[in-house]
Amino acid sequence: MKKCSAHNQNCQNCEYDYCLQTVPFLSSLEPDQIKEVSKDTVRKRYKKGERIFSEGETARKLYMICTGKVKIFRYTPDGKELILYILSPNYFSFIGAFNLLKETTFDFGAEALEDTVVCTLDKHQFENIILKYPKVTLKILEEAYDRINKIESLVYRLSTNNVDAKVAGLLLSLIKDFGVEADDGIHLNMTMNREEMGSYAGLTRETMSRKLRSMQKQGLIEIQGNKKIIVKDINNLNDMLL
Protein backbone atom coordinates (compact mmCIF):
# COMPACT_ATOMS: atom_id res chain seq x y z
CA MET A 1 0.00 0.00 0.00
CA LYS A 2 1.25 3.48 -0.78
CA LYS A 3 1.92 6.37 1.54
CA CYS A 4 -0.26 9.41 1.25
CA SER A 5 1.46 12.24 -0.53
CA ALA A 6 -0.46 15.21 0.82
CA HIS A 7 1.45 17.74 2.88
CA ASN A 8 -1.16 17.91 5.59
CA GLN A 9 -4.08 15.54 5.99
CA ASN A 10 -5.81 13.22 8.40
CA CYS A 11 -4.18 9.85 8.91
CA GLN A 12 -7.36 7.92 8.26
CA ASN A 13 -7.06 8.89 4.58
CA CYS A 14 -3.70 7.15 4.23
CA GLU A 15 -3.70 4.02 2.07
CA TYR A 16 -1.03 2.19 4.07
CA ASP A 17 -0.43 0.67 7.47
CA TYR A 18 -0.72 3.51 9.98
CA CYS A 19 2.57 5.24 10.72
CA LEU A 20 1.50 5.52 14.34
CA GLN A 21 2.41 1.86 14.75
CA THR A 22 6.06 3.00 14.71
CA VAL A 23 5.55 5.18 17.78
CA PRO A 24 6.74 3.16 20.82
CA PHE A 25 4.39 4.68 23.40
CA LEU A 26 1.42 3.49 21.31
CA SER A 27 2.87 0.02 20.89
CA SER A 28 0.73 -1.38 23.72
CA LEU A 29 -2.45 -0.71 21.73
CA GLU A 30 -4.11 -3.19 19.42
CA PRO A 31 -4.18 -2.40 15.67
CA ASP A 32 -7.86 -1.46 15.77
CA GLN A 33 -7.16 0.87 18.70
CA ILE A 34 -4.31 2.54 16.82
CA LYS A 35 -6.64 2.95 13.87
CA GLU A 36 -9.13 4.64 16.17
CA VAL A 37 -6.44 7.00 17.49
CA SER A 38 -5.34 7.83 13.95
CA LYS A 39 -8.79 9.19 13.09
CA ASP A 40 -8.09 12.21 15.30
CA THR A 41 -4.53 12.62 14.11
CA VAL A 42 -3.21 15.20 11.66
CA ARG A 43 -0.16 14.26 9.63
CA LYS A 44 2.34 16.78 8.27
CA ARG A 45 5.62 16.63 6.38
CA TYR A 46 8.57 18.87 7.28
CA LYS A 47 11.60 19.50 5.12
CA LYS A 48 15.12 19.32 6.56
CA GLY A 49 15.78 22.50 8.53
CA GLU A 50 12.09 23.43 8.83
CA ARG A 51 10.92 24.64 12.26
CA ILE A 52 8.16 22.54 13.84
CA PHE A 53 7.58 24.81 16.82
CA SER A 54 9.53 27.52 18.62
CA GLU A 55 10.58 28.27 22.18
CA GLY A 56 7.88 30.25 23.97
CA GLU A 57 5.07 28.89 21.81
CA THR A 58 1.96 27.71 23.64
CA ALA A 59 1.83 23.92 23.87
CA ARG A 60 -1.41 22.88 22.18
CA LYS A 61 -0.40 19.59 20.53
CA LEU A 62 1.30 16.28 21.08
CA TYR A 63 3.88 15.70 18.34
CA MET A 64 4.72 12.11 17.33
CA ILE A 65 7.65 11.38 15.01
CA CYS A 66 6.65 8.84 12.33
CA THR A 67 9.67 9.11 10.03
CA GLY A 68 12.85 11.18 10.09
CA LYS A 69 14.59 12.90 13.01
CA VAL A 70 13.92 16.08 14.96
CA LYS A 71 16.30 18.03 17.16
CA ILE A 72 15.01 19.58 20.38
CA PHE A 73 17.07 22.63 21.30
CA ARG A 74 17.16 25.92 23.15
CA TYR A 75 19.43 28.94 23.12
CA THR A 76 21.90 29.82 25.85
CA PRO A 77 21.96 33.38 27.25
CA ASP A 78 24.80 34.24 24.86
CA GLY A 79 22.75 33.09 21.87
CA LYS A 80 24.38 29.72 21.21
CA GLU A 81 22.22 26.76 20.23
CA LEU A 82 22.20 23.85 22.65
CA ILE A 83 20.74 20.55 21.45
CA LEU A 84 18.93 18.78 24.30
CA TYR A 85 18.11 15.52 22.54
CA ILE A 86 17.01 14.04 19.24
CA LEU A 87 13.62 12.53 18.47
CA SER A 88 13.18 9.59 16.10
CA PRO A 89 10.45 6.98 15.48
CA ASN A 90 12.11 4.28 17.57
CA TYR A 91 13.76 6.35 20.31
CA PHE A 92 12.26 9.43 21.98
CA SER A 93 9.34 9.30 19.57
CA PHE A 94 7.19 12.17 20.87
CA ILE A 95 7.30 15.64 22.37
CA GLY A 96 4.73 17.86 24.04
CA ALA A 97 2.92 15.38 26.31
CA PHE A 98 4.23 16.84 29.55
CA ASN A 99 3.63 20.41 28.38
CA LEU A 100 -0.01 19.54 27.64
CA LEU A 101 -0.47 18.07 31.10
CA LYS A 102 0.81 21.28 32.66
CA GLU A 103 -0.87 23.60 30.14
CA THR A 104 2.31 25.56 29.63
CA THR A 105 4.56 26.90 26.86
CA PHE A 106 7.53 25.23 25.24
CA ASP A 107 10.88 26.22 26.75
CA PHE A 108 12.63 24.69 23.75
CA GLY A 109 12.25 24.58 19.97
CA ALA A 110 11.97 21.70 17.49
CA GLU A 111 13.46 21.50 14.00
CA ALA A 112 13.63 18.71 11.42
CA LEU A 113 17.14 17.29 11.05
CA GLU A 114 16.02 15.56 7.85
CA ASP A 115 12.80 15.24 5.89
CA THR A 116 10.35 14.21 8.58
CA VAL A 117 6.73 13.14 9.01
CA VAL A 118 4.99 14.20 12.22
CA CYS A 119 1.54 13.24 13.49
CA THR A 120 -0.16 15.54 15.97
CA LEU A 121 -3.02 15.29 18.46
CA ASP A 122 -4.56 18.30 20.14
CA LYS A 123 -4.86 18.56 23.93
CA HIS A 124 -8.44 17.29 24.17
CA GLN A 125 -7.74 14.23 21.99
CA PHE A 126 -4.56 13.45 23.90
CA GLU A 127 -6.39 13.57 27.24
CA ASN A 128 -9.05 11.21 25.87
CA ILE A 129 -6.39 8.70 24.86
CA ILE A 130 -4.59 8.60 28.21
CA LEU A 131 -7.92 8.25 30.03
CA LYS A 132 -9.17 5.51 27.73
CA TYR A 133 -5.90 3.57 27.46
CA PRO A 134 -3.97 3.61 30.78
CA LYS A 135 -1.14 1.57 29.22
CA VAL A 136 -0.25 4.61 27.12
CA THR A 137 0.34 6.64 30.29
CA LEU A 138 2.77 3.98 31.56
CA LYS A 139 4.67 4.06 28.28
CA ILE A 140 4.91 7.86 28.48
CA LEU A 141 6.33 7.59 32.00
CA GLU A 142 8.88 5.02 30.80
CA GLU A 143 10.02 7.35 28.07
CA ALA A 144 10.13 10.23 30.55
CA TYR A 145 12.58 8.20 32.64
CA ASP A 146 14.79 7.59 29.59
CA ARG A 147 14.62 11.28 28.74
CA ILE A 148 15.75 12.25 32.24
CA ASN A 149 18.75 9.93 31.85
CA LYS A 150 19.51 11.58 28.53
CA ILE A 151 19.43 15.05 30.07
CA GLU A 152 21.68 13.85 32.91
CA SER A 153 24.20 12.69 30.28
CA LEU A 154 23.95 16.09 28.61
CA VAL A 155 24.57 17.85 31.94
CA TYR A 156 27.66 15.71 32.45
CA ARG A 157 28.98 16.50 28.97
CA LEU A 158 28.47 20.23 29.51
CA SER A 159 29.90 20.29 33.03
CA THR A 160 33.10 18.35 32.43
CA ASN A 161 36.23 20.09 31.19
CA ASN A 162 37.48 16.84 29.67
CA VAL A 163 37.10 17.22 25.90
CA ASP A 164 37.66 13.49 25.33
CA ALA A 165 34.79 12.71 27.70
CA LYS A 166 32.53 15.25 25.97
CA VAL A 167 33.09 13.74 22.52
CA ALA A 168 33.00 10.14 23.73
CA GLY A 169 29.73 10.79 25.57
CA LEU A 170 28.29 12.42 22.47
CA LEU A 171 29.21 9.49 20.23
CA LEU A 172 27.72 7.01 22.69
CA SER A 173 24.52 9.05 22.77
CA LEU A 174 24.39 9.26 18.98
CA ILE A 175 24.66 5.48 18.72
CA LYS A 176 21.12 5.32 20.16
CA ASP A 177 19.89 7.91 17.66
CA PHE A 178 21.74 6.88 14.51
CA GLY A 179 23.68 3.67 15.21
CA VAL A 180 23.51 0.61 12.96
CA GLU A 181 25.63 -2.41 13.86
CA ALA A 182 27.84 -3.85 11.12
CA ASP A 183 30.81 -6.20 10.85
CA ASP A 184 33.32 -3.34 10.91
CA GLY A 185 31.74 -1.44 13.82
CA ILE A 186 28.72 0.72 14.57
CA HIS A 187 27.78 2.99 11.69
CA LEU A 188 26.48 6.48 12.47
CA ASN A 189 24.73 7.72 9.33
CA MET A 190 23.97 11.19 10.59
CA THR A 191 22.11 14.22 9.38
CA MET A 192 23.94 16.43 11.88
CA ASN A 193 26.83 18.63 10.81
CA ARG A 194 29.91 19.30 12.95
CA GLU A 195 28.45 22.51 14.35
CA GLU A 196 25.32 20.68 15.54
CA MET A 197 27.45 17.93 17.03
CA GLY A 198 29.45 20.57 18.85
CA SER A 199 26.31 22.21 20.24
CA TYR A 200 25.19 18.80 21.49
CA ALA A 201 28.49 18.36 23.36
CA GLY A 202 29.14 21.92 24.48
CA LEU A 203 32.08 22.38 22.10
CA THR A 204 32.88 24.59 19.15
CA ARG A 205 32.74 23.18 15.62
CA GLU A 206 36.51 23.48 15.31
CA THR A 207 37.16 21.58 18.56
CA MET A 208 34.69 18.87 17.58
CA SER A 209 36.31 18.37 14.15
CA ARG A 210 39.82 18.32 15.64
CA LYS A 211 38.91 15.77 18.32
CA LEU A 212 37.16 13.48 15.81
CA ARG A 213 40.27 13.51 13.62
CA SER A 214 42.37 12.67 16.69
CA MET A 215 40.09 9.74 17.56
CA GLN A 216 40.37 8.48 14.01
CA LYS A 217 44.18 8.50 14.25
CA GLN A 218 43.85 6.46 17.47
CA GLY A 219 41.73 3.87 15.64
CA LEU A 220 38.65 4.52 17.77
CA ILE A 221 36.51 5.72 14.88
CA GLU A 222 36.59 5.99 11.11
CA ILE A 223 35.29 9.14 9.43
CA GLN A 224 33.69 8.71 6.01
CA GLY A 225 32.75 12.05 4.49
CA ASN A 226 30.88 14.68 6.50
CA LYS A 227 27.92 12.64 7.70
CA LYS A 228 29.18 9.12 8.43
CA ILE A 229 31.25 7.89 11.37
CA ILE A 230 32.07 4.25 12.14
CA VAL A 231 32.68 3.56 15.83
CA LYS A 232 35.43 0.94 16.00
CA ASP A 233 35.99 0.69 19.74
CA ILE A 234 32.92 1.37 21.88
CA ASN A 235 34.61 0.00 25.02
CA ASN A 236 37.36 2.61 24.80
CA LEU A 237 34.74 5.34 24.42
CA ASN A 238 33.05 4.12 27.60
CA ASP A 239 36.41 4.15 29.40
CA MET A 240 36.84 7.84 28.49
CA LEU A 241 33.82 8.68 30.62
CA LEU A 242 35.42 7.32 33.80
Side-chain angles (χ1 to χ4, degrees), residues 46 50-55 57 63 70 72-73 95-96 106 108-111:
Y46 293 89
E50 189 173 355
R51 186 68 59 89
I52 298 171
F53 59 79
S54 299
E55 184 175 345
E57 190 173 315
Y63 297 82
V70 173
I72 302 300
F73 66 97
I95 193 73
F106 290 116
F108 44 76
E111 182 179 297

Short mmCIF file of all heavy atoms in Angstrom, two decimals, residues 46 50-55 57 63 70 72-73 95-96 106 108-111:
data_model
loop_
_atom_site.label_atom_id
_atom_site.label_comp_id
_atom_site.label_asym_id
_atom_site.label_seq_id
_atom_site.Cartn_x
_atom_site.Cartn_y
_atom_site.Cartn_z
N TYR A 46 7.65 17.75 7.10
CA TYR A 46 8.57 18.87 7.28
C TYR A 46 9.85 18.60 6.51
O TYR A 46 10.40 17.49 6.56
CB TYR A 46 8.90 19.07 8.76
CG TYR A 46 7.73 19.51 9.61
CD1 TYR A 46 6.88 18.58 10.20
CD2 TYR A 46 7.47 20.86 9.82
CE1 TYR A 46 5.80 18.98 10.99
CE2 TYR A 46 6.39 21.27 10.61
CZ TYR A 46 5.57 20.33 11.18
OH TYR A 46 4.51 20.73 11.94
N GLU A 50 13.34 22.72 8.61
CA GLU A 50 12.09 23.43 8.83
C GLU A 50 11.73 23.39 10.32
O GLU A 50 11.82 22.35 10.97
CB GLU A 50 10.98 22.81 7.99
CG GLU A 50 9.69 23.60 7.99
CD GLU A 50 8.66 23.04 7.02
OE1 GLU A 50 8.98 22.08 6.28
OE2 GLU A 50 7.52 23.56 7.01
N ARG A 51 11.29 24.53 10.85
CA ARG A 51 10.92 24.64 12.26
C ARG A 51 9.54 24.02 12.48
O ARG A 51 8.60 24.30 11.73
CB ARG A 51 10.91 26.11 12.67
CG ARG A 51 10.68 26.35 14.15
CD ARG A 51 11.84 25.87 15.02
NE ARG A 51 13.09 26.51 14.67
CZ ARG A 51 13.53 27.66 15.21
NH1 ARG A 51 12.79 28.29 16.10
NH2 ARG A 51 14.68 28.16 14.85
N ILE A 52 9.43 23.19 13.50
CA ILE A 52 8.16 22.54 13.84
C ILE A 52 7.42 23.36 14.88
O ILE A 52 6.22 23.58 14.76
CB ILE A 52 8.43 21.10 14.33
CG1 ILE A 52 9.07 20.29 13.20
CG2 ILE A 52 7.13 20.43 14.81
CD1 ILE A 52 9.57 18.93 13.61
N PHE A 53 8.12 23.81 15.90
CA PHE A 53 7.58 24.81 16.82
C PHE A 53 8.75 25.53 17.47
O PHE A 53 9.90 25.07 17.40
CB PHE A 53 6.64 24.20 17.88
CG PHE A 53 7.28 23.15 18.75
CD1 PHE A 53 8.09 23.48 19.82
CD2 PHE A 53 7.04 21.81 18.50
CE1 PHE A 53 8.66 22.51 20.62
CE2 PHE A 53 7.60 20.83 19.29
CZ PHE A 53 8.42 21.18 20.36
N SER A 54 8.47 26.67 18.09
CA SER A 54 9.53 27.52 18.62
C SER A 54 9.43 27.66 20.14
O SER A 54 8.36 27.46 20.73
CB SER A 54 9.46 28.92 17.99
OG SER A 54 9.64 28.84 16.59
N GLU A 55 10.54 28.01 20.75
CA GLU A 55 10.58 28.27 22.18
C GLU A 55 9.63 29.42 22.52
O GLU A 55 9.59 30.43 21.81
CB GLU A 55 12.01 28.63 22.59
CG GLU A 55 12.23 28.83 24.06
CD GLU A 55 13.68 29.07 24.41
OE1 GLU A 55 14.56 28.81 23.55
OE2 GLU A 55 13.94 29.53 25.54
N GLU A 57 6.37 29.15 22.43
CA GLU A 57 5.07 28.89 21.81
C GLU A 57 4.17 28.10 22.76
O GLU A 57 4.63 27.23 23.49
CB GLU A 57 5.31 28.09 20.52
CG GLU A 57 4.11 27.92 19.62
CD GLU A 57 4.49 27.26 18.30
OE1 GLU A 57 5.51 27.66 17.70
OE2 GLU A 57 3.78 26.33 17.90
N TYR A 63 3.21 15.96 19.61
CA TYR A 63 3.88 15.70 18.34
C TYR A 63 4.50 14.31 18.39
O TYR A 63 5.28 14.00 19.30
CB TYR A 63 4.99 16.73 18.10
CG TYR A 63 4.49 18.16 17.96
CD1 TYR A 63 4.20 18.93 19.08
CD2 TYR A 63 4.30 18.74 16.70
CE1 TYR A 63 3.75 20.23 18.96
CE2 TYR A 63 3.85 20.04 16.58
CZ TYR A 63 3.58 20.78 17.70
OH TYR A 63 3.13 22.07 17.59
N VAL A 70 14.18 14.71 14.54
CA VAL A 70 13.92 16.08 14.96
C VAL A 70 14.85 16.43 16.11
O VAL A 70 14.99 15.65 17.06
CB VAL A 70 12.45 16.24 15.42
CG1 VAL A 70 12.21 17.62 16.02
CG2 VAL A 70 11.50 16.00 14.24
N ILE A 72 15.62 18.74 19.37
CA ILE A 72 15.01 19.58 20.38
C ILE A 72 16.13 20.43 20.96
O ILE A 72 17.14 19.91 21.43
CB ILE A 72 14.34 18.73 21.48
CG1 ILE A 72 13.28 17.81 20.86
CG2 ILE A 72 13.73 19.62 22.54
CD1 ILE A 72 12.17 18.53 20.13
N PHE A 73 15.96 21.75 20.94
CA PHE A 73 17.07 22.63 21.30
C PHE A 73 16.54 23.89 21.99
O PHE A 73 15.36 24.21 21.94
CB PHE A 73 17.85 23.02 20.05
CG PHE A 73 17.05 23.87 19.10
CD1 PHE A 73 17.17 25.25 19.11
CD2 PHE A 73 16.17 23.30 18.19
CE1 PHE A 73 16.41 26.04 18.25
CE2 PHE A 73 15.41 24.08 17.33
CZ PHE A 73 15.53 25.45 17.36
N ILE A 95 6.99 14.46 21.58
CA ILE A 95 7.30 15.64 22.37
C ILE A 95 6.00 16.40 22.61
O ILE A 95 5.11 16.39 21.75
CB ILE A 95 8.35 16.53 21.65
CG1 ILE A 95 8.92 17.59 22.60
CG2 ILE A 95 7.75 17.19 20.42
CD1 ILE A 95 9.86 17.03 23.62
N GLY A 96 5.89 17.03 23.76
CA GLY A 96 4.73 17.86 24.04
C GLY A 96 3.76 17.29 25.06
O GLY A 96 2.90 18.02 25.57
N PHE A 106 6.30 25.96 25.49
CA PHE A 106 7.53 25.23 25.24
C PHE A 106 8.72 26.09 25.66
O PHE A 106 8.80 27.27 25.29
CB PHE A 106 7.66 24.88 23.75
CG PHE A 106 6.70 23.83 23.28
CD1 PHE A 106 5.74 24.13 22.33
CD2 PHE A 106 6.75 22.54 23.78
CE1 PHE A 106 4.85 23.18 21.88
CE2 PHE A 106 5.86 21.57 23.34
CZ PHE A 106 4.92 21.89 22.39
N PHE A 108 11.67 25.17 24.73
CA PHE A 108 12.63 24.69 23.75
C PHE A 108 11.97 24.75 22.38
O PHE A 108 10.75 24.93 22.26
CB PHE A 108 13.08 23.26 24.06
CG PHE A 108 11.95 22.34 24.44
CD1 PHE A 108 11.09 21.83 23.49
CD2 PHE A 108 11.73 22.01 25.77
CE1 PHE A 108 10.03 21.00 23.84
CE2 PHE A 108 10.67 21.17 26.14
CZ PHE A 108 9.83 20.68 25.17
N GLY A 109 12.76 24.62 21.34
CA GLY A 109 12.25 24.58 19.97
C GLY A 109 12.47 23.22 19.35
O GLY A 109 13.21 22.38 19.89
N ALA A 110 11.83 22.98 18.21
CA ALA A 110 11.97 21.70 17.49
C ALA A 110 12.18 22.00 16.01
O ALA A 110 11.49 22.84 15.43
CB ALA A 110 10.74 20.83 17.69
N GLU A 111 13.14 21.29 15.41
CA GLU A 111 13.46 21.50 14.00
C GLU A 111 13.80 20.16 13.36
O GLU A 111 14.46 19.31 13.98
CB GLU A 111 14.64 22.46 13.88
CG GLU A 111 15.05 22.80 12.46
CD GLU A 111 16.21 23.77 12.42
OE1 GLU A 111 16.05 24.90 12.92
OE2 GLU A 111 17.29 23.39 11.90
#
